[in-house]
Amino acid sequence: MTVTETHAETGFATRAIHAGQEFDPTTGAVVPPIYQSSTFVQDGVGGLRGGYEYGRSGNPTRTSLEIVLAALEGGDKALVFASGLAAEDALLRSALRPGDHVVLGNDVYGGTHRLIDRIYGEWGIRHTAVDLTDLDAVRNALAADRTPLLWIETPSNPLMKISDIAALAELGHAVGAQVVVDNTFASPALQQPLALGADIVVHSTTKYLGGHSDVIGGAVILRDGELTERLAFQQFAAGAIAAPMEAWLTVRGIKTLDVRMQRHSENAQAIAERMSEHPSIEHVYYPGLPSHPGHELAARQMTRFGGMLSVAVRGGADAARRLAESTRVFQLAESLGGVESLIGYPSEMTHASVRGTALEVPENIVRLSVGIESVDDLVADVEQALDRLG
Ligand code: PLP
C-alpha cells in the first residue's frame, strides 16, 4: 500500500500530525523518539529489524519525515536531504545526463540558478531562463532543445510572480519533460503541485515545513517509478541525507504547518495592504492584493496567498537598505518561513549570486517573511520604519 493510500481518507491537518508518527510501541511515548544511531544490530548476518542497516541508507526518524511529506504532497515517495540545495542536486543528477537542457523560471531562487548554471554547466548541462508567466516563451524554450526538465517556482522569489502549474505541466509533458515545482514558498498547506499536474515537488524544508528557523533540510516528493529509484540510489550512494535530529525537528514543525500558514497569510495580507498605502512604497508584490497580475490565478491555484511579500521602495537602493535596517520586530536576516518575522535586502543578501545575470533583483526591493507574531506589532513596526525614511 502506498503512503498516499494509507492516509488518503484523512484531512491535511490530521495527516500533518499523524502520518508517519505512530506512538512508540515499546514505551507508548506519544512522540516517536529520535533514533540518534548510526547503525543497527542485525539478528544474524542480513537479519535486519524493520529494514534498517546503516544510517546513510535509512533511519526510522528520517522515514517518519519522508512518510509525512509524501502524505502531505500526495506523492508516493519522499526523500529527504541535508539541505534544499542537496535535494535539488540529487534530483538533477538523477534526471539529467550531459548534453541535456533545462528550462527554468527567470526568477527562481538564486541558489537554484547558481547550481544549474555554475555546477551543472561544467558537466555539460545547458539551461534557458524564461518568464514562466509567458506560456509562448516557455513553449519556444522547450522546443529549442532536448529538455527532460522544466523547473517551476511559484510564488517566485523575491518578486512573487505566480505561474500556472497546470498549463506549464501540459507544455512540459507535450515535449516529454518532467515538471518540477519548488513548493517552498507556498508549502503543501497552500498549494498541491502534484494534483495540478506536476511530476516532482522540491522543498527547502528549512523554511515553512520546519517553520522555526532551527533546521536546514530539503526534500523531493514524487510518484513511484524509475526516477524515484534513481533518486533513492543517489541519496544512498552520494549520501547528502537529513540527519536524525534535523528530521525530527522538521516533523515536529510540520505538525503545526496548517495553522501557521493560515496565520502567516493573514498577517502578510494586512502588511501588504498597509504598505501599499504608504507614500514611501512604490509597489507591493503580494498575490493576495487584487492589483497583483497573478491574483486570480493564485486564488485558483492556492488556498491562501502565503506569508512572503516584497516591496519596491521609493528612493532607490539607499532607501531600501535603510528600510531593511530600521525594523525592530522584523529581524534583518537571510531565510524565510519561520514563526518570527524577517526582513532582507535581496540584491546583496539572498540574491547576491545572481547580480549581473538576467535574474538580477532590482536594488530598491526589500523582501519580508511575515511571521506569526501579533499583527498590530508587525504593522506598527513597518510603519515606524517607513516613516523614518522621510
Ligand atoms: N528553494 C527556495 C525557494 C529557497 O528559498 C531556498 C533557500 O532559500 C532553497 C530552495 C534552498 O534551500 P536550502 O537553503 O535549504 O539549501
Side-chain angles (χ1 to χ4, degrees), residues 163-244:
S163 46
D164 188 334
I165 295 173
L168 289 165
E170 256 182 55
L171 292 184
H173 293 158
V175 297
Q178 303 227 54
V179 176
V180 186
V181 175
D182 183 333
N183 204 22
T184 298
F185 264 40
S187 91
L190 305 188
Q191 181 169 271
Q192 299 267 304
L194 298 181
L196 290 164
D199 305 292
I200 304 158
V201 170
V202 299
H203 275 285
S204 168
T205 55
T206 312
K207 309 298 183 328
Y208 287 107
L209 288 161
H212 296 74
S213 305
D214 53 8
V215 63
I216 299 277
V220 182
I221 300 105
L222 63 188
R223 301 210 175 80
D224 284 335
E226 202 194 322
L227 179 64
T228 307
E229 278 166 32
R230 279 211 298 272
L231 183 66
F233 179 70
Q234 288 282 347
Q235 187 198 41
F236 161 70
I241 50 161

Side-chain angles (χ1 to χ4, degrees), residues 57-77:
S57 56
N59 174 290
T61 313
R62 200 166 93 213
T63 304
S64 170
L65 175 57
E66 292 180 339
I67 290 174
V68 69
L69 284 174
L72 294 184
E73 289 285 4
D76 294 327
K77 180 84 183 155

